[in-house]
Amino acid sequence: MQLLLCATVKIFLCPLGFELQFRLGPSLQGRKVMVHTNYPLEGQPFQRHNFHVLEWNYPSGKDDDSDKFCSLNLKIAGSYQYYFGCGTTERSGGGYIVVDPVLYCITIQTYLSKCLGHLDDWPDRLRVAKESGLVQHDPLHSSANSRRVQVLLLLADQLAVNPDFIPEGQSYSWVDVGALVEKLRKEWNMLCITDVVYNHTAANSVWIREHPECGYNLVNSPHLRPAWVLDRALWHLTTRVAEGRYKAKGLPADITNDSHLNAIRTVLRQDLFPEIKLWEFYQVKVESAVEQFRILLQNEQRRDWCSQMSHHCTIVQDPQFRRYGNTVDMDSALETFVPHSSLPQHIEECCGWLRQKLSDLNKEQLHIIQQHQEQAANCIVGNVVYERLADHGPKLGPVNRKNPLVTRYFTFPYQDMTLEQELQLLDQPDKSCHFLAHNGWVMGDDPLRNFAEPGSNVYLRRELICWGDSVKLRYGNGPEDCPYLWAHMQKYTEITAKYFHGVRLDNCHSTPLHVAEAMLDAARAVRPNLYVIAELFTGSELIDNVFVNRLGISSLIREAMSAGDSHEEGRLVYRYGGEPVGAFVQPSLRPLMPSIAHAMFLDVTHDNECPIQLRSALDSLPSSAIVSMACCATGSTRGYDELVPHQISVVKEERFYPKWNPAAPATSASEVGFHTGIIAGKLALNKLHQELAAQGFIQVYVDQVDADIVAITRHCPSTHQSVVAVCRTAFKDPKTHQYDTNVPPMFIPGKIEEVILEARTVDRHAGTYKKDDGYINGMPEYTVEIKEHIPLQDSTVVKQAGVTSKGRSEFVQEITFQKLTPGSVIAFRVSLDPKAQKLVGVLRHYLSQFSPKYRRGSTADENPPEVLQKPLAQLMSKLTLADLNVLLFRCDSEEQEDGGGCYNIPGWETLKYAGLQGLMSVLADIRPNNDLGHPVCANLRQGDWLIDFVSNRLVNREGPLAQVGQWLGAMFNYMKHIPRYLIPCYFDAILVSTYTTALDAAYKLMSSFVQNGSSFVRHLALGSIQMCGVGRFPALPPLSAKIEDVPYRVNPITGQKEQCCVSLAAGLPHFSSGIFRCWGRDTFIALRGLMLLTGRHTEARNIILAFAGTLRHGLIPNLLGEGRCARYNCRDALWWWLQCIQDYATHVPQGHEILNCLVTRMYPTDDCEPRKPGEVEQPLYDVIQEALQRHLEGISFRERNAGPKIDMNMRDEGFSVAAKVDPATGFISGGNRFNCGTWMDKMGESEKARNKGMPATPRDGAAVEIVGLSKSAVRWVVELHAKGLFPYDGTKIHRDGKEVFVSYSQWNQQLQQSFEAAFWVSGDPKDPNEKHPDLVHKKGIYKDSYGASGPWCDYQLRPNFTIAMVVAPELFTAERAWKALDVAEKKLLGPLGMKTLDPDDMVYCGVYDNALDNDNYNLAKGFNYHQGPEWLWPVGYFLRAKLYFAKKLGQETYGQTVNLVKNVLSRHYTHLERSPWRGLPELTNENGQYCKFSCETQAWSLATVLEVLYDL
């Protein structure tokens, strides 16, 4: 699994045993990144704060940021932290990973340990949970002295066994508890977990009296003093109300109606609040403060008295919260109230101002406290309503000391005294330190906030729902703040972890996170594989994630009782676990996706009301069955199965659980057995739950049949067996609610093997429920009528079952019910029909050659088709790269040439490619999310159209491709006979296997650079297959018949033998077929990257020679048009062609031999008709010589068929083509202002804007990249001649009427000497080489052209000079080159491409819209094609130039440049991976925005980026 480095509050669950890889996201590539983690090193214990650095792995053996990763082998469950730093920043981001153990098999039953009795009685009482697999206890440590306390939450002595569990005369210790737990594990295969409570302790704990600093008391938390005063006043109000002293005011002891509630408010407002005067704790003593102020004024020596006053005088809260203890910030008072002079009357006047201000501030404080008091009154009344009036409340009865008006918020460990006497204790620290705040919870509060800390008014406002026998513990920020408490609780934790297999974090959401972290660390030091569960009441999944991540919680408790109807209950099953039925097989290496916390799904918890009270007794079984079918840990609470019709109070319950007796009579209160309640049904459901988990039934489907019936399917993706449970809920009591007697039939796909169980809750007429005094008994009147593992015909629930067939692969059984009454459950075991079962096994057998995942459930084929008898890799090894172009790619227009097209998904869209990549791109988005509702999946389920399309387009071809098609067809033939809901996942599996095998075959045919390269290199190299193919009609002119290794085929139309050389498309989809497929310029810019670097040397040679054969006027065509429709209207294609011949000679072993290859000339003279192949042939070196000679001589001609026939926009002057060597400089110069002979070739098209026939970027004169390319070519032929590989050292030309000889060596030197003088823009007005200093607006750059008809154009900043830097770096001074590259980086470099024009230029516009036709000359009809939009291919040259010159400037500069290059290219890698075309676009709009008019994937974009990686 891969995790891109980021920071998040999401949960990343990693299964135990997996390898987790950390990879760099785009923003981090090219930067020095270090990953730290606290996952322990091998053999070392986990230490939360002990981080170590992970080492980077380099799969390709090179320092490639796109591929490198660091990893963890996850062998220990728990939560671990990672962070990463960039450069000098140690922490740039980070997060958590949760290593998840397999938890699906767990079933649990929770118990109140106080109801189990003595330890000796536990086995008999726990026996009822034997079939559940796991049992949880509440805390077993010593609880409060009285059995009436809230045992789930209260611990008096965390370090001792509760004496209630020890029989009289016995002495049990933790060792005995541990022995019992171990016995249950060995004999019953049952694990035990227990609650741990960190947030509070029992109020009567001895140790808290000895160490009151461990709680929040009035000494260490003086902000609680006002709340304590209110609490004591309320206690005294309780005693007075109980004594009847407020009866006359309408407030009796027995509060029963709204008038009594109103009386409470009246008493609070009129009597209690005025008596205790809480506002005095927040006010200042005015006269004392004024006197202090007066003295300061009298003593202060001021020269400049000023009458201006500010209004910022503030009161400072007394940290000890004494009455009138607040003080005035005298500095602010002196600045606020300034006397006119030092005269006494002015000082007194000023004191008066302060007196008034303080009175106002005191009134503000009074108002705030009155608001707090009003909220306190609301909360007090609300509490009284719940406890005494509400139907769902405890109805405590009259107010008395045992049941006070409200629960006390603080302990008071002293004898009764008057309120006045109690208030005197406030000033006695030895007494007030024992007034400890109780714990509780605050509705709607932030769970990460500690409500007892300063700044919180929860206790004052009476917002705490208080647990009156607990004390909230005060840990502080660490052990140093409360050493005894930390040590005590750590020891408690270690004891618990030693004897129990897991813990439930009680009140987890209110436990300080740093405390829970430290305690769980201590627990895991004792038991590393500790199972930790918790119930969070945060109300926020994001906050839940914080707890899960920080604490490593294994499971969060979720409850079916939270569902208001059966539909919601079914949704919870789907939510809490499993993948959908028919889910896709995920690749072994895949991105780690965020997930929800693992659930422990209970039908009910101890904290909530009994389901029988809210629903009906008959609903217990079907709702429990729904829970049991969930693909997660499940469970229940003891008492649920016995149908106990009330909540078992964790506070007040004093009775014992009944013991286990298999023969217990229905009316027994002290014993339970198989016939008690729904126990028999529950045991069967628990066994089924464990079986489903153990056997890999990990897929889930929930069907809401009607308002009350839920059908849940659990499916095994390897055997394709299913279990379908149909549950008829009974949320309403059938005795009072009329249920529909017409149960809809069900259609279950496949063959029903058996009825696993059918069960109904029935009335057995055994009397009615009567609450027992000694035992927690259930309703005797109901039991379960159950049958297990019976044939379908023996079912009493099913009336009949008929088999229907939906097509050749869909066998469905129609089920009609007769006794699916409310409260019923039936579970079917379902297999595929026998034929489908066999064929899916055979399919898995053939898929197992690609992955061991398919071995389970596989079956060998008895009579395998011949094509399947060989491994697919063997068939693929016969394919050429041109074949792989057909197999993997080919866009719609390419396919249409063959009479086909790409597949269209009805109601959605057409696939990008007819080949496998078209589907793989779509499936790559569908697969991770199991988006089975996607239109592609729907299409696959509905019919075989797409399936047949994939195989038939290959079968209809010849040779090895047809064999691959036959292989796919044979696999699909098996697949067509399995149920349609499984088709998408198996179709994907077959395609993934075929695709990956094809990629392996492709890379084996490529160069070592690709084979040993990174994933990025390989992705780009696929662009070679994507762009290079053979169409129905030859795109290239014929080569000489004397050339070896030229591919031939028989033309399907003429029956004649013809050459079928690979051609290179310029871009997809716009430049992929017909005469618009091949362009000279595009071909030779892309050829080095896509063909030479990938090892396609023969095909590259063929393309070079084919274009050589079309040489005319000394030029290579721009638009090739198979040579016969060629246009010779560009000045640069010839020089790109020569550059590729040079690259071929350099990269290919014995590559210089291409110079001797024969070229079949189509146009041996400029004006001749096309010659037949072989009629005129000459070696390539002669063609090169002719091209150089013609440029030196000067080229000037008018295009054939000039006019609208070949260009409907160009003006007449534009059809005149000219190019020559300037004798003064050696530069290739040409063109005019009406044509555009370089790659920036946009011709105006808008009549409305009057730009039609005007080139946007004529770039006439000497274009900088052509000068660089010509220098490279001339230098090369000089070197070749010196080696005896090129027969010419120059050429004769006519100049000024004379024949002269021009030496290539002289031409080379002339270019070298002329270049910087002509092209460098120094910005120095005195520069003698600068002809137009007034046009310079960017200095430290190289001109885009020299001698343009519009001089301004020479000085425009464009990215073209970087091309010259790469092909002819010798022209440039390193320091000047670096300055120009720096300007280009700052001004032109975008996220993916290079701006084609300086954004400071007046005609810059970065958004290309070819459809826009308005009156804007610079924009209409995409006139700004090269005036700002960011083209990708120049980025390759820019980065290569940076790398070249960085090396010249030293190792430090080079290192920084390498990092820049990696960072820039990371964005291309990201785009490449995400693009459905699996390519890089022609261009983007400004700042990398998508441009819909761009080719989605462009040959030269892919090629030049690949060249950068080669240079790296």
Side-chain angles (χ1 to χ4, degrees), residues 904-922:
N904 176 263
I905 306 292
W908 190 55
E909 63 181 47
T910 300
L911 298 177
K912 307 304 183 191
Y913 296 108
L916 299 181
Q917 186 64 66
L919 278 162
M920 292 303 296
S921 295
V922 178

Side-chain angles (χ1 to χ4, degrees), residues 906-953:
W908 190 55
E909 63 181 47
T910 300
L911 298 177
K912 307 304 183 191
Y913 296 108
L916 299 181
Q917 186 64 66
L919 278 162
M920 292 303 296
S921 295
V922 178
L923 291 168
D925 293 330
I926 296 172
R927 190 184 308 111
N929 303 309
N930 280 316
D931 183 9
L932 294 169
H934 192 280
V936 168
C937 297
N939 183 271
L940 288 166
R941 287 190 295 268
Q942 289 162 7
D944 296 337
W945 313 289
L946 178 54
I947 298 167
D948 291 338
F949 172 85
V950 171
S951 57
N952 289 347
R953 70 178 286 270

